[in-house]
PDB file of all heavy atoms in Angstrom:
ATOM      1  N   GLY A   1     -64.388 152.911-142.105  1.00 80.00           N
ATOM      2  CA  GLY A   1     -62.991 152.988-141.870  1.00 80.00           C
ATOM      3  C   GLY A   1     -62.212 151.684-141.769  1.00 80.00           C
ATOM      4  O   GLY A   1     -61.059 151.649-141.435  1.00 80.00           O
ATOM      5  N   ALA A   2     -62.914 150.547-142.091  1.00 77.00           N
ATOM      6  CA  ALA A   2     -62.355 149.255-142.055  1.00 77.00           C
ATOM      7  C   ALA A   2     -61.165 149.132-143.086  1.00 77.00           C
ATOM      8  O   ALA A   2     -60.161 148.446-142.760  1.00 77.00           O
ATOM      9  CB  ALA A   2     -63.390 148.201-142.345  1.00 77.00           C
ATOM     10  N   PHE A   3     -61.287 149.818-144.166  1.00 75.00           N
ATOM     11  CA  PHE A   3     -60.139 149.848-145.090  1.00 75.00           C
ATOM     12  C   PHE A   3     -60.292 151.135-145.952  1.00 75.00           C
ATOM     13  O   PHE A   3     -61.320 151.843-145.860  1.00 75.00           O
ATOM     14  CB  PHE A   3     -60.264 148.578-145.962  1.00 75.00           C
ATOM     15  CG  PHE A   3     -61.565 148.300-146.654  1.00 75.00           C
ATOM     16  CD1 PHE A   3     -61.959 148.831-147.768  1.00 75.00           C
ATOM     17  CD2 PHE A   3     -62.456 147.458-145.967  1.00 75.00           C
ATOM     18  CE1 PHE A   3     -63.256 148.649-148.335  1.00 75.00           C
ATOM     19  CE2 PHE A   3     -63.698 147.189-146.531  1.00 75.00           C
ATOM     20  CZ  PHE A   3     -64.092 147.824-147.651  1.00 75.00           C
ATOM     21  N   THR A   4     -59.349 151.397-146.778  1.00 73.00           N
ATOM     22  CA  THR A   4     -59.351 152.577-147.615  1.00 73.00           C
ATOM     23  C   THR A   4     -60.587 152.546-148.536  1.00 73.00           C
ATOM     24  O   THR A   4     -60.740 151.561-149.325  1.00 73.00           O
ATOM     25  CB  THR A   4     -58.102 152.626-148.505  1.00 73.00           C
ATOM     26  OG1 THR A   4     -56.914 152.670-147.580  1.00 73.00           O
ATOM     27  CG2 THR A   4     -58.127 153.945-149.382  1.00 73.00           C
ATOM     28  N   GLY A   5     -61.409 153.550-148.471  1.00 71.00           N
ATOM     29  CA  GLY A   5     -62.628 153.599-149.314  1.00 71.00           C
ATOM     30  C   GLY A   5     -63.854 153.239-148.570  1.00 71.00           C
ATOM     31  O   GLY A   5     -64.953 153.419-149.072  1.00 71.00           O
ATOM     32  N   ALA A   6     -63.693 152.704-147.327  1.00 72.00           N
ATOM     33  CA  ALA A   6     -64.924 152.289-146.635  1.00 72.00           C
ATOM     34  C   ALA A   6     -65.398 153.489-145.833  1.00 72.00           C
ATOM     35  O   ALA A   6     -65.136 153.619-144.634  1.00 72.00           O
ATOM     36  CB  ALA A   6     -64.550 151.119-145.666  1.00 72.00           C
ATOM     37  N   GLU A   7     -66.091 154.387-146.518  1.00 75.00           N
ATOM     38  CA  GLU A   7     -66.541 155.629-145.941  1.00 75.00           C
ATOM     39  C   GLU A   7     -67.752 155.462-145.074  1.00 75.00           C
ATOM     40  O   GLU A   7     -68.072 156.423-144.235  1.00 75.00           O
ATOM     41  CB  GLU A   7     -66.747 156.623-147.033  1.00 75.00           C
ATOM     42  CG  GLU A   7     -65.460 156.933-147.844  1.00 75.00           C
ATOM     43  CD  GLU A   7     -65.675 157.885-148.983  1.00 75.00           C
ATOM     44  OE1 GLU A   7     -66.918 158.270-149.190  1.00 75.00           O
ATOM     45  OE2 GLU A   7     -64.665 158.320-149.668  1.00 75.00           O
ATOM     46  N   THR A   8     -68.537 154.408-145.292  1.00 80.00           N
ATOM     47  CA  THR A   8     -69.754 154.195-144.508  1.00 80.00           C
ATOM     48  C   THR A   8     -69.863 152.756-144.098  1.00 80.00           C
ATOM     49  O   THR A   8     -69.182 151.880-144.703  1.00 80.00           O
ATOM     50  CB  THR A   8     -71.020 154.631-145.236  1.00 80.00           C
ATOM     51  OG1 THR A   8     -71.067 153.825-146.419  1.00 80.00           O
ATOM     52  CG2 THR A   8     -70.999 156.104-145.573  1.00 80.00           C
ATOM     53  N   LYS A   9     -70.647 152.489-143.092  1.00 80.00           N
ATOM     54  CA  LYS A   9     -70.866 151.086-142.659  1.00 80.00           C
ATOM     55  C   LYS A   9     -71.775 150.404-143.829  1.00 80.00           C
ATOM     56  O   LYS A   9     -72.630 151.041-144.347  1.00 80.00           O
ATOM     57  CB  LYS A   9     -71.623 151.049-141.324  1.00 80.00           C
ATOM     58  CG  LYS A   9     -71.900 149.624-140.907  1.00 80.00           C
ATOM     59  CD  LYS A   9     -72.635 149.594-139.571  1.00 80.00           C
ATOM     60  CE  LYS A   9     -72.901 148.197-139.050  1.00 80.00           C
ATOM     61  NZ  LYS A   9     -73.603 148.159-137.733  1.00 80.00           N
ATOM     62  N   ARG A  10     -71.482 149.088-144.077  1.00 83.00           N
ATOM     63  CA  ARG A  10     -72.190 148.450-145.153  1.00 83.00           C
ATOM     64  C   ARG A  10     -72.547 147.041-144.694  1.00 83.00           C
ATOM     65  O   ARG A  10     -71.680 146.296-144.281  1.00 83.00           O
ATOM     66  CB  ARG A  10     -71.317 148.422-146.430  1.00 83.00           C
ATOM     67  CG  ARG A  10     -72.065 147.796-147.665  1.00 83.00           C
ATOM     68  CD  ARG A  10     -71.255 148.114-148.942  1.00 83.00           C
ATOM     69  NE  ARG A  10     -71.900 147.558-150.069  1.00 83.00           N
ATOM     70  CZ  ARG A  10     -71.552 146.426-150.712  1.00 83.00           C
ATOM     71  NH1 ARG A  10     -70.556 145.751-150.231  1.00 83.00           N
ATOM     72  NH2 ARG A  10     -72.150 146.048-151.789  1.00 83.00           N
ATOM     73  N   ALA A  11     -73.763 146.687-144.911  1.00 86.00           N
ATOM     74  CA  ALA A  11     -74.262 145.341-144.564  1.00 86.00           C
ATOM     75  C   ALA A  11     -73.839 144.355-145.680  1.00 86.00           C
ATOM     76  O   ALA A  11     -73.886 144.727-146.869  1.00 86.00           O
ATOM     77  CB  ALA A  11     -75.699 145.281-144.381  1.00 86.00           C
ATOM     78  N   GLY A  12     -73.355 143.211-145.291  1.00 87.00           N
ATOM     79  CA  GLY A  12     -72.997 142.184-146.248  1.00 87.00           C
ATOM     80  C   GLY A  12     -74.158 141.309-146.714  1.00 87.00           C
ATOM     81  O   GLY A  12     -75.298 141.456-146.175  1.00 87.00           O
ATOM     82  N   LYS A  13     -73.924 140.453-147.685  1.00 90.00           N
ATOM     83  CA  LYS A  13     -75.034 139.671-148.227  1.00 90.00           C
ATOM     84  C   LYS A  13     -75.673 138.664-147.187  1.00 90.00           C
ATOM     85  O   LYS A  13     -76.872 138.411-147.255  1.00 90.00           O
ATOM     86  CB  LYS A  13     -74.465 138.842-149.415  1.00 90.00           C
ATOM     87  CG  LYS A  13     -74.043 139.681-150.567  1.00 90.00           C
ATOM     88  CD  LYS A  13     -75.175 140.511-151.206  1.00 90.00           C
ATOM     89  CE  LYS A  13     -74.789 141.107-152.506  1.00 90.00           C
ATOM     90  NZ  LYS A  13     -73.733 142.129-152.401  1.00 90.00           N
ATOM     91  N   PHE A  14     -74.820 138.185-146.149  1.00 90.00           N
ATOM     92  CA  PHE A  14     -75.448 137.303-145.191  1.00 90.00           C
ATOM     93  C   PHE A  14     -76.439 138.005-144.353  1.00 90.00           C
ATOM     94  O   PHE A  14     -77.491 137.533-143.980  1.00 90.00           O
ATOM     95  CB  PHE A  14     -74.309 136.705-144.293  1.00 90.00           C
ATOM     96  CG  PHE A  14     -73.694 135.459-144.808  1.00 90.00           C
ATOM     97  CD1 PHE A  14     -72.738 135.491-145.784  1.00 90.00           C
ATOM     98  CD2 PHE A  14     -74.191 134.237-144.346  1.00 90.00           C
ATOM     99  CE1 PHE A  14     -72.183 134.281-146.232  1.00 90.00           C
ATOM    100  CE2 PHE A  14     -73.571 133.011-144.814  1.00 90.00           C
ATOM    101  CZ  PHE A  14     -72.585 133.049-145.818  1.00 90.00           C
ATOM    102  N   VAL A  15     -76.105 139.289-143.999  1.00 90.00           N
ATOM    103  CA  VAL A  15     -77.108 140.071-143.114  1.00 90.00           C
ATOM    104  C   VAL A  15     -78.306 140.422-143.957  1.00 90.00           C
ATOM    105  O   VAL A  15     -79.446 140.302-143.485  1.00 90.00           O
ATOM    106  CB  VAL A  15     -76.363 141.367-142.704  1.00 90.00           C
ATOM    107  CG1 VAL A  15     -77.373 142.255-142.043  1.00 90.00           C
ATOM    108  CG2 VAL A  15     -75.285 141.014-141.706  1.00 90.00           C
ATOM    109  N   LEU A  16     -78.171 140.811-145.276  1.00 90.00           N
ATOM    110  CA  LEU A  16     -79.292 141.152-146.157  1.00 90.00           C
ATOM    111  C   LEU A  16     -80.243 139.906-146.306  1.00 90.00           C
ATOM    112  O   LEU A  16     -81.416 140.106-146.487  1.00 90.00           O
ATOM    113  CB  LEU A  16     -78.781 141.590-147.478  1.00 90.00           C
ATOM    114  CG  LEU A  16     -78.018 142.841-147.522  1.00 90.00           C
ATOM    115  CD1 LEU A  16     -77.513 143.097-148.968  1.00 90.00           C
ATOM    116  CD2 LEU A  16     -78.888 144.057-147.046  1.00 90.00           C
ATOM    117  N   ALA A  17     -79.618 138.700-146.200  1.00 90.00           N
ATOM    118  CA  ALA A  17     -80.422 137.478-146.388  1.00 90.00           C
ATOM    119  C   ALA A  17     -80.969 136.959-145.121  1.00 90.00           C
ATOM    120  O   ALA A  17     -81.607 135.846-145.067  1.00 90.00           O
ATOM    121  CB  ALA A  17     -79.591 136.408-147.148  1.00 90.00           C
ATOM    122  N   ASN A  18     -80.713 137.610-143.992  1.00 91.00           N
ATOM    123  CA  ASN A  18     -81.132 137.087-142.706  1.00 91.00           C
ATOM    124  C   ASN A  18     -82.650 136.788-142.635  1.00 91.00           C
ATOM    125  O   ASN A  18     -83.482 137.663-143.008  1.00 91.00           O
ATOM    126  CB  ASN A  18     -80.756 138.110-141.608  1.00 91.00           C
ATOM    127  CG  ASN A  18     -80.834 137.484-140.156  1.00 91.00           C
ATOM    128  OD1 ASN A  18     -80.574 136.317-140.007  1.00 91.00           O
ATOM    129  ND2 ASN A  18     -81.189 138.292-139.255  1.00 91.00           N
ATOM    130  N   GLY A  19     -83.063 135.600-142.206  1.00 91.00           N
ATOM    131  CA  GLY A  19     -84.410 135.214-142.218  1.00 91.00           C
ATOM    132  C   GLY A  19     -84.899 134.682-143.538  1.00 91.00           C
ATOM    133  O   GLY A  19     -86.062 134.228-143.689  1.00 91.00           O
ATOM    134  N   GLY A  20     -84.062 134.621-144.527  1.00 92.00           N
ATOM    135  CA  GLY A  20     -84.372 134.143-145.850  1.00 92.00           C
ATOM    136  C   GLY A  20     -83.357 133.278-146.390  1.00 92.00           C
ATOM    137  O   GLY A  20     -82.857 132.371-145.737  1.00 92.00           O
ATOM    138  N   THR A  21     -82.993 133.410-147.805  1.00 93.00           N
ATOM    139  CA  THR A  21     -82.235 132.480-148.473  1.00 93.00           C
ATOM    140  C   THR A  21     -81.070 133.242-149.166  1.00 93.00           C
ATOM    141  O   THR A  21     -81.263 134.241-149.688  1.00 93.00           O
ATOM    142  CB  THR A  21     -83.012 131.739-149.532  1.00 93.00           C
ATOM    143  OG1 THR A  21     -84.092 131.080-148.890  1.00 93.00           O
ATOM    144  CG2 THR A  21     -82.142 130.717-150.264  1.00 93.00           C
ATOM    145  N   LEU A  22     -79.904 132.719-149.027  1.00 93.00           N
ATOM    146  CA  LEU A  22     -78.746 133.291-149.736  1.00 93.00           C
ATOM    147  C   LEU A  22     -78.382 132.279-150.825  1.00 93.00           C
ATOM    148  O   LEU A  22     -78.073 131.131-150.618  1.00 93.00           O
ATOM    149  CB  LEU A  22     -77.596 133.389-148.804  1.00 93.00           C
ATOM    150  CG  LEU A  22     -76.247 134.025-149.404  1.00 93.00           C
ATOM    151  CD1 LEU A  22     -76.438 135.429-149.838  1.00 93.00           C
ATOM    152  CD2 LEU A  22     -75.098 133.963-148.325  1.00 93.00           C
ATOM    153  N   PHE A  23     -78.399 132.816-152.077  1.00 94.00           N
ATOM    154  CA  PHE A  23     -78.144 132.007-153.240  1.00 94.00           C
ATOM    155  C   PHE A  23     -76.733 132.339-153.763  1.00 94.00           C
ATOM    156  O   PHE A  23     -76.410 133.443-154.216  1.00 94.00           O
ATOM    157  CB  PHE A  23     -79.152 132.245-154.378  1.00 94.00           C
ATOM    158  CG  PHE A  23     -78.858 131.515-155.615  1.00 94.00           C
ATOM    159  CD1 PHE A  23     -78.449 130.153-155.665  1.00 94.00           C
ATOM    160  CD2 PHE A  23     -79.032 132.157-156.900  1.00 94.00           C
ATOM    161  CE1 PHE A  23     -78.207 129.514-156.818  1.00 94.00           C
ATOM    162  CE2 PHE A  23     -78.760 131.450-158.069  1.00 94.00           C
ATOM    163  CZ  PHE A  23     -78.329 130.119-158.032  1.00 94.00           C
ATOM    164  N   LEU A  24     -75.766 131.377-153.648  1.00 94.00           N
ATOM    165  CA  LEU A  24     -74.433 131.492-154.001  1.00 94.00           C
ATOM    166  C   LEU A  24     -74.288 130.789-155.414  1.00 94.00           C
ATOM    167  O   LEU A  24     -74.005 129.580-155.511  1.00 94.00           O
ATOM    168  CB  LEU A  24     -73.440 130.860-153.013  1.00 94.00           C
ATOM    169  CG  LEU A  24     -73.591 131.434-151.566  1.00 94.00           C
ATOM    170  CD1 LEU A  24     -72.698 130.635-150.617  1.00 94.00           C
ATOM    171  CD2 LEU A  24     -73.143 132.896-151.557  1.00 94.00           C
ATOM    172  N   ASP A  25     -74.343 131.612-156.381  1.00 93.00           N
ATOM    173  CA  ASP A  25     -74.209 131.121-157.792  1.00 93.00           C
ATOM    174  C   ASP A  25     -72.742 131.070-158.158  1.00 93.00           C
ATOM    175  O   ASP A  25     -71.912 131.805-157.747  1.00 93.00           O
ATOM    176  CB  ASP A  25     -74.908 132.077-158.704  1.00 93.00           C
ATOM    177  CG  ASP A  25     -75.204 131.460-160.112  1.00 93.00           C
ATOM    178  OD1 ASP A  25     -75.019 130.201-160.215  1.00 93.00           O
ATOM    179  OD2 ASP A  25     -75.627 132.087-161.075  1.00 93.00           O
ATOM    180  N   GLU A  26     -72.391 130.057-158.986  1.00 92.00           N
ATOM    181  CA  GLU A  26     -71.057 129.747-159.445  1.00 92.00           C
ATOM    182  C   GLU A  26     -70.070 129.617-158.251  1.00 92.00           C
ATOM    183  O   GLU A  26     -68.996 130.121-158.157  1.00 92.00           O
ATOM    184  CB  GLU A  26     -70.462 130.947-160.336  1.00 92.00           C
ATOM    185  CG  GLU A  26     -71.393 131.178-161.590  1.00 92.00           C
ATOM    186  CD  GLU A  26     -71.255 130.044-162.627  1.00 92.00           C
ATOM    187  OE1 GLU A  26     -70.447 129.187-162.392  1.00 92.00           O
ATOM    188  OE2 GLU A  26     -72.006 130.149-163.621  1.00 92.00           O
ATOM    189  N   ILE A  27     -70.506 128.886-157.228  1.00 93.00           N
ATOM    190  CA  ILE A  27     -69.743 128.656-156.057  1.00 93.00           C
ATOM    191  C   ILE A  27     -68.389 128.012-156.304  1.00 93.00           C
ATOM    192  O   ILE A  27     -67.364 128.270-155.604  1.00 93.00           O
ATOM    193  CB  ILE A  27     -70.541 127.856-155.023  1.00 93.00           C
ATOM    194  CG1 ILE A  27     -69.826 127.654-153.637  1.00 93.00           C
ATOM    195  CG2 ILE A  27     -70.775 126.433-155.574  1.00 93.00           C
ATOM    196  CD1 ILE A  27     -69.876 128.858-152.833  1.00 93.00           C
ATOM    197  N   GLY A  28     -68.256 127.221-157.377  1.00 91.00           N
ATOM    198  CA  GLY A  28     -67.104 126.583-157.663  1.00 91.00           C
ATOM    199  C   GLY A  28     -65.942 127.528-158.222  1.00 91.00           C
ATOM    200  O   GLY A  28     -64.765 127.085-158.308  1.00 91.00           O
ATOM    201  N   GLU A  29     -66.229 128.801-158.451  1.00 89.00           N
ATOM    202  CA  GLU A  29     -65.233 129.734-158.895  1.00 89.00           C
ATOM    203  C   GLU A  29     -64.497 130.476-157.773  1.00 89.00           C
ATOM    204  O   GLU A  29     -63.601 131.181-157.990  1.00 89.00           O
ATOM    205  CB  GLU A  29     -65.930 130.778-159.806  1.00 89.00           C
ATOM    206  CG  GLU A  29     -66.689 130.258-160.999  1.00 89.00           C
ATOM    207  CD  GLU A  29     -65.848 129.301-161.848  1.00 89.00           C
ATOM    208  OE1 GLU A  29     -64.681 129.638-162.101  1.00 89.00           O
ATOM    209  OE2 GLU A  29     -66.378 128.256-162.263  1.00 89.00           O
ATOM    210  N   LEU A  30     -65.021 130.253-156.556  1.00 88.00           N
ATOM    211  CA  LEU A  30     -64.336 130.930-155.365  1.00 88.00           C
ATOM    212  C   LEU A  30     -62.973 130.290-155.127  1.00 88.00           C
ATOM    213  O   LEU A  30     -62.793 129.130-155.294  1.00 88.00           O
ATOM    214  CB  LEU A  30     -65.204 130.701-154.104  1.00 88.00           C
ATOM    215  CG  LEU A  30     -66.461 131.664-154.016  1.00 88.00           C
ATOM    216  CD1 LEU A  30     -67.177 131.354-152.737  1.00 88.00           C
ATOM    217  CD2 LEU A  30     -66.087 133.079-154.111  1.00 88.00           C
ATOM    218  N   THR A  31     -62.024 131.093-154.599  1.00 87.00           N
ATOM    219  CA  THR A  31     -60.714 130.625-154.217  1.00 87.00           C
ATOM    220  C   THR A  31     -60.875 129.816-152.930  1.00 87.00           C
ATOM    221  O   THR A  31     -61.863 130.004-152.231  1.00 87.00           O
ATOM    222  CB  THR A  31     -59.754 131.755-153.988  1.00 87.00           C
ATOM    223  OG1 THR A  31     -60.288 132.603-152.968  1.00 87.00           O
ATOM    224  CG2 THR A  31     -59.633 132.649-155.279  1.00 87.00           C
ATOM    225  N   LEU A  32     -59.873 129.090-152.664  1.00 89.00           N
ATOM    226  CA  LEU A  32     -59.816 128.258-151.421  1.00 89.00           C
ATOM    227  C   LEU A  32     -59.898 129.143-150.151  1.00 89.00           C
ATOM    228  O   LEU A  32     -60.601 128.784-149.191  1.00 89.00           O
ATOM    229  CB  LEU A  32     -58.650 127.344-151.383  1.00 89.00           C
ATOM    230  CG  LEU A  32     -58.596 126.170-152.436  1.00 89.00           C
ATOM    231  CD1 LEU A  32     -57.275 125.450-152.393  1.00 89.00           C
ATOM    232  CD2 LEU A  32     -59.694 125.129-152.093  1.00 89.00           C
ATOM    233  N   ALA A  33     -59.230 130.221-150.252  1.00 85.00           N
ATOM    234  CA  ALA A  33     -59.286 131.150-149.128  1.00 85.00           C
ATOM    235  C   ALA A  33     -60.677 131.736-148.878  1.00 85.00           C
ATOM    236  O   ALA A  33     -61.131 131.814-147.710  1.00 85.00           O
ATOM    237  CB  ALA A  33     -58.304 132.328-149.406  1.00 85.00           C
ATOM    238  N   ALA A  34     -61.400 132.082-149.992  1.00 86.00           N
ATOM    239  CA  ALA A  34     -62.800 132.519-149.858  1.00 86.00           C
ATOM    240  C   ALA A  34     -63.695 131.426-149.323  1.00 86.00           C
ATOM    241  O   ALA A  34     -64.639 131.634-148.608  1.00 86.00           O
ATOM    242  CB  ALA A  34     -63.229 133.111-151.095  1.00 86.00           C
ATOM    243  N   GLN A  35     -63.390 130.286-149.755  1.00 90.00           N
ATOM    244  CA  GLN A  35     -64.225 129.102-149.353  1.00 90.00           C
ATOM    245  C   GLN A  35     -64.190 128.946-147.816  1.00 90.00           C
ATOM    246  O   GLN A  35     -65.212 128.564-147.164  1.00 90.00           O
ATOM    247  CB  GLN A  35     -63.789 127.846-150.086  1.00 90.00           C
ATOM    248  CG  GLN A  35     -64.091 127.864-151.624  1.00 90.00           C
ATOM    249  CD  GLN A  35     -63.441 126.704-152.287  1.00 90.00           C
ATOM    250  OE1 GLN A  35     -63.206 125.537-151.675  1.00 90.00           O
ATOM    251  NE2 GLN A  35     -63.069 126.852-153.604  1.00 90.00           N
ATOM    252  N   SER A  36     -62.959 129.031-147.312  1.00 88.00           N
ATOM    253  CA  SER A  36     -62.841 128.858-145.845  1.00 88.00           C
ATOM    254  C   SER A  36     -63.675 129.901-145.045  1.00 88.00           C
ATOM    255  O   SER A  36     -64.206 129.480-143.991  1.00 88.00           O
ATOM    256  CB  SER A  36     -61.379 128.888-145.449  1.00 88.00           C
ATOM    257  OG  SER A  36     -60.875 130.249-145.621  1.00 88.00           O
ATOM    258  N   LYS A  37     -63.811 131.009-145.521  1.00 85.00           N
ATOM    259  CA  LYS A  37     -64.525 132.133-144.810  1.00 85.00           C
ATOM    260  C   LYS A  37     -66.057 131.776-144.908  1.00 85.00           C
ATOM    261  O   LYS A  37     -66.758 132.056-143.875  1.00 85.00           O
ATOM    262  CB  LYS A  37     -64.230 133.448-145.457  1.00 85.00           C
ATOM    263  CG  LYS A  37     -62.784 133.863-145.247  1.00 85.00           C
ATOM    264  CD  LYS A  37     -62.354 135.054-146.115  1.00 85.00           C
ATOM    265  CE  LYS A  37     -60.878 135.341-145.930  1.00 85.00           C
ATOM    266  NZ  LYS A  37     -60.422 136.331-146.923  1.00 85.00           N
ATOM    267  N   ILE A  38     -66.509 131.330-145.996  1.00 88.00           N
ATOM    268  CA  ILE A  38     -67.900 130.984-146.132  1.00 88.00           C
ATOM    269  C   ILE A  38     -68.260 129.804-145.212  1.00 88.00           C
ATOM    270  O   ILE A  38     -69.240 129.733-144.603  1.00 88.00           O
ATOM    271  CB  ILE A  38     -68.310 130.633-147.621  1.00 88.00           C
ATOM    272  CG1 ILE A  38     -68.312 131.989-148.419  1.00 88.00           C
ATOM    273  CG2 ILE A  38     -69.634 130.010-147.667  1.00 88.00           C
ATOM    274  CD1 ILE A  38     -68.617 131.746-149.880  1.00 88.00           C
ATOM    275  N   LEU A  39     -67.322 128.765-145.190  1.00 90.00           N
ATOM    276  CA  LEU A  39     -67.522 127.578-144.394  1.00 90.00           C
ATOM    277  C   LEU A  39     -67.724 127.930-142.886  1.00 90.00           C
ATOM    278  O   LEU A  39     -68.628 127.441-142.328  1.00 90.00           O
ATOM    279  CB  LEU A  39     -66.253 126.620-144.468  1.00 90.00           C
ATOM    280  CG  LEU A  39     -66.251 125.416-143.587  1.00 90.00           C
ATOM    281  CD1 LEU A  39     -67.415 124.514-144.061  1.00 90.00           C
ATOM    282  CD2 LEU A  39     -64.949 124.730-143.713  1.00 90.00           C
ATOM    283  N   ARG A  40     -66.947 128.880-142.456  1.00 86.00           N
ATOM    284  CA  ARG A  40     -67.134 129.279-140.936  1.00 86.00           C
ATOM    285  C   ARG A  40     -68.498 129.882-140.758  1.00 86.00           C
ATOM    286  O   ARG A  40     -69.203 129.487-139.713  1.00 86.00           O
ATOM    287  CB  ARG A  40     -66.066 130.308-140.629  1.00 86.00           C
ATOM    288  CG  ARG A  40     -66.156 130.740-139.156  1.00 86.00           C
ATOM    289  CD  ARG A  40     -65.263 131.912-138.826  1.00 86.00           C
ATOM    290  NE  ARG A  40     -65.572 132.550-137.579  1.00 86.00           N
ATOM    291  CZ  ARG A  40     -65.112 133.690-137.171  1.00 86.00           C
ATOM    292  NH1 ARG A  40     -64.346 134.329-137.897  1.00 86.00           N
ATOM    293  NH2 ARG A  40     -65.455 134.106-135.908  1.00 86.00           N
ATOM    294  N   ALA A  41     -68.983 130.679-141.695  1.00 88.00           N
ATOM    295  CA  ALA A  41     -70.330 131.266-141.451  1.00 88.00           C
ATOM    296  C   ALA A  41     -71.422 130.252-141.532  1.00 88.00           C
ATOM    297  O   ALA A  41     -72.398 130.293-140.830  1.00 88.00           O
ATOM    298  CB  ALA A  41     -70.607 132.273-142.573  1.00 88.00           C
ATOM    299  N   ILE A  42     -71.296 129.248-142.382  1.00 88.00           N
ATOM    300  CA  ILE A  42     -72.273 128.177-142.506  1.00 88.00           C
ATOM    301  C   ILE A  42     -72.229 127.251-141.336  1.00 88.00           C
ATOM    302  O   ILE A  42     -73.346 126.906-140.734  1.00 88.00           O
ATOM    303  CB  ILE A  42     -72.025 127.327-143.840  1.00 88.00           C
ATOM    304  CG1 ILE A  42     -72.231 128.139-145.065  1.00 88.00           C
ATOM    305  CG2 ILE A  42     -72.950 126.131-143.839  1.00 88.00           C
ATOM    306  CD1 ILE A  42     -71.868 127.456-146.329  1.00 88.00           C
ATOM    307  N   GLN A  43     -71.111 126.975-140.806  1.00 86.00           N
ATOM    308  CA  GLN A  43     -70.932 126.053-139.646  1.00 86.00           C
ATOM    309  C   GLN A  43     -71.534 126.687-138.366  1.00 86.00           C
ATOM    310  O   GLN A  43     -72.186 126.016-137.657  1.00 86.00           O
ATOM    311  CB  GLN A  43     -69.438 125.718-139.453  1.00 86.00           C
ATOM    312  CG  GLN A  43     -68.838 124.713-140.357  1.00 86.00           C
ATOM    313  CD  GLN A  43     -67.423 124.503-140.173  1.00 86.00           C
ATOM    314  OE1 GLN A  43     -66.620 125.399-139.817  1.00 86.00           O
ATOM    315  NE2 GLN A  43     -66.953 123.318-140.478  1.00 86.00           N
ATOM    316  N   SER A  44     -71.226 127.978-138.131  1.00 85.00           N
ATOM    317  CA  SER A  44     -71.573 128.580-136.894  1.00 85.00           C
ATOM    318  C   SER A  44     -72.771 129.480-136.844  1.00 85.00           C
ATOM    319  O   SER A  44     -73.216 130.018-135.842  1.00 85.00           O
ATOM    320  CB  SER A  44     -70.336 129.313-136.306  1.00 85.00           C
ATOM    321  OG  SER A  44     -70.002 130.386-137.244  1.00 85.00           O
ATOM    322  N   ASN A  45     -73.225 129.801-138.127  1.00 86.00           N
ATOM    323  CA  ASN A  45     -74.298 130.752-138.318  1.00 86.00           C
ATOM    324  C   ASN A  45     -73.865 132.119-137.734  1.00 86.00           C
ATOM    325  O   ASN A  45     -74.701 132.870-137.156  1.00 86.00           O
ATOM    326  CB  ASN A  45     -75.623 130.325-137.710  1.00 86.00           C
ATOM    327  CG  ASN A  45     -76.268 129.174-138.421  1.00 86.00           C
ATOM    328  OD1 ASN A  45     -76.143 129.129-139.626  1.00 86.00           O
ATOM    329  ND2 ASN A  45     -76.827 128.217-137.645  1.00 86.00           N
TER     330      ASN A  45
END
């Protein structure tokens, strides 16, 4: 219910990679807004 179409709970890529490695390919193609969200996750885990 987080947004229209979110009918079930869904784990994100960070959770799926927990204990392992997250490979962000073509990182340079992300928008600045998306980059800021990734930065927070990297900084604080």
